[in-house]
Amino acid sequence: MKVEFAPLSVPLQRRLQTASVVQWIFSFLGLAQCCTAAFIALFFTRFWLISALYAAWWLIDREKPSKGGRRIHVLRNCVIWRYMRDYFPITLMKTAELDPRQNYLVGFHPHGVLAAGAFLNFCTEASGFSMLFPGITPHLMMLSLWFRIPFFRDYVMSGGLIPSDKESASYVLQKPEGGNLLAIIVGGAQEALDARPGSFTLLLKNRKGFVRLAIQHGTPLVPAFSFGENDVFDQVKNPKGSWLRRIQHQLQHIMGISLPLFHARGIFQYSFGLIPYRRPICTVVGRPIPVQKKHRPSKEEVDQVHQKYLNELSKLFEKHKSKYNVPEDSHLEFI
């Protein structure tokens, strides 16, 4: 006899979707601190052996994040990510096929406040990455400091996250069998300080390291723009030159991460809180830009490919912006 389960009620679905987003935010804003505190606290209890054994494992396994990480498909396919997808909702759209015999370097734009689209589309299967791009294994780069936190490092590696350094990127891109995709949020933490609804400012004009990396490995460049990424949070005004912006830049230089003062809605009310607005995010992946391999590209060669990338990214934005309620007179601004 086949047992059928009744569909979840709309209020329950909404609560589960909100809970999944809360869990995602907490995992990056609070879980790291909790993992560190638990690791240290266990040394002062009768369970000290857990931390001692993990410390030994950590030492043995210290190179794993820069060697492609350790993804866990059960966690990538966890149902909680599908609830998170439906909360906004978040979708992934391809405009061209990717050959699984090649490796690819994807530039993701914009960063947004918490890079929700990048995380869900490349670190989980909620938006169906494996079905859209069969034979392609995605990796997403993240600040290296997160991989120095006990227990938390294993959590972020499970989704395909790797440290944002040249060694980690090269390991993924130089695999001769192909089938790897490396996504880099080019604007980084600094771009998050300009993330607010209606903003299309990208920190990209002088960011050319990812282009040089693609040329050195002969890896095609793929532009990707996430429509709606900047719309899910409001941010306290911090124009360049203001005291707030100067403090944020100083903290970024000290800690390596930016601290945008963002706000949106609450869990039980909609006027103020840290829960993102329910606004759609659609990540559009463009077509690959062929790159000729050269171990030591000149500045002129890097500039030429970089300009080609900017042009393709602009074309991608202009072609699809009308589908996502972007005003006709809005265009990308590169700074």
Side-chain angles (χ1 to χ4, degrees):
M1 181 177 66
K2 183 179 179 180
V3 179
E4 295 186 359
F5 295 93
L8 297 176
S9 64
V10 173
L12 180 56
Q13 287 180 345
R14 290 292 178 88
R15 287 196 292 270
L16 287 171
Q17 291 166 6
T18 304
S20 70
V21 174
V22 173
Q23 184 270 346
W24 164 66
I25 294 174
F26 174 77
S27 69
F28 285 96
L29 300 183
L31 186 56
Q33 290 87 340
C34 291
C35 288
T36 303
F39 178 75
I40 296 173
L42 284 172
F43 276 112
F44 300 95
T45 70
R46 60 179 178 174
F47 302 107
W48 62 270
L49 188 59
I50 295 176
S51 287
L53 290 174
Y54 184 85
W57 161 252
W58 190 2
L59 181 63
I60 296 171
D61 195 55
R62 63 186 181 278
E63 299 295 331
K64 192 62 178 178
S66 60
K67 302 297 182 184
R70 184 187 301 106
R71 65 184 59 236
I72 300 175
H73 293 287
V74 172
L75 293 181
R76 282 181 58 88
N77 285 280
C78 185
V79 66
I80 195 169
W81 306 129
R82 294 198 288 274
Y83 285 124
M84 177 180 166
R85 173 200 65 195
D86 295 337
Y87 173 87
F88 292 95
I90 296 177
T91 54
L92 179 65
M93 174 184 172
K94 72 174 181 181
T95 60
E97 298 292 337
L98 299 185
D99 186 350
R101 294 171 296 180
Q102 282 191 304
N103 297 317
Y104 296 92
L105 196 159
V106 172
F108 182 93
H109 315 274
H111 183 286
V113 171
L114 294 178
F119 173 78
L120 191 131
N121 286 320
F122 297 114
C123 299
T124 81
E125 285 296 329
S127 56
F129 181 92
S130 294
M131 296 183 64
L132 280 174
F133 302 104
I136 303 291
T137 301
H139 301 266
L140 178 65
M141 302 199 85
M142 185 182 191
L143 285 175
S144 300
L145 67 89
W146 297 110
F147 296 88
R148 300 169 191 159
I149 300 174
F151 303 122
F152 187 75
R153 68 189 286 274
D154 300 280
Y155 167 68
V156 294
M157 279 197 295
S158 69
L161 285 155
I162 62 173
S164 56
D165 55 54
K166 188 175 181 179
E167 179 187 0
S168 303
S170 295
Y171 183 85
V172 172
L173 297 178
Q174 69 187 4
K175 290 188 175 182
E177 66 273 17
N180 287 285
L181 181 149
L182 178 64
I184 300 177
I185 306 177
V186 182
Q190 188 176 342
E191 190 177 77
L193 299 177
D194 289 313
R196 50 179 46 86
S199 173
F200 301 104
T201 300
L202 302 182
L203 187 61
L204 186 56
K205 196 172 184 179
N206 295 313
R207 300 244 166 159
K208 302 176 183 178
F210 74 106
V211 174
R212 183 177 296 275
L213 188 66
I215 296 174
Q216 290 173 341
H217 293 279
T219 306
L221 281 165
V222 183
F225 193 87
S226 197
F227 291 91
E229 193 74 49
N230 283 341
D231 297 338
V232 297
F233 288 105
D234 290 316
Q235 188 173 167
V236 175
K237 290 183 178 180
N238 58 343
K240 293 180 181 179
S242 65
W243 65 269
L244 176 57
R245 190 65 166 241
R246 288 196 296 269
I247 292 174
Q248 289 173 323
H249 278 307
Q250 287 296 325
L251 291 174
Q252 183 186 344
H253 288 312
I254 295 171
M255 299 185 299
I257 58 175
S258 64
L259 295 173
L261 297 181
F262 62 91
H263 58 90
R265 49 158 288 191
I267 299 177
F268 303 110
Q269 45 77 32
Y270 299 93
S271 57
F272 188 82
L274 298 180
I275 308 302
Y277 296 119
R278 300 178 67 107
R279 293 173 181 169
I281 297 173
C282 182
T283 302
V284 182
V285 180
R287 61 182 183 181
I289 303 170
V291 174
Q292 185 176 359
K293 185 175 182 179
K294 190 171 184 179
H295 182 61
R296 293 183 179 178
S298 65
K299 180 181 181 300
E300 291 72 21
E301 290 170 325
V302 172
D303 289 345
Q304 184 179 7
V305 176
H306 182 262
Q307 187 59 53
K308 186 182 296 184
Y309 180 87
L310 295 182
N311 294 340
E312 286 297 323
L313 179 61
S314 295
K315 289 179 183 177
L316 182 72
F317 176 81
E318 295 295 332
K319 182 177 180 179
H320 296 277
K321 68 180 183 181
S322 61
K323 303 175 187 176
Y324 305 105
N325 300 319
V326 176
E328 188 62 32
D329 59 350
S330 294
H331 309 283
L332 292 183
E333 179 186 359
F334 302 122
I335 59 172

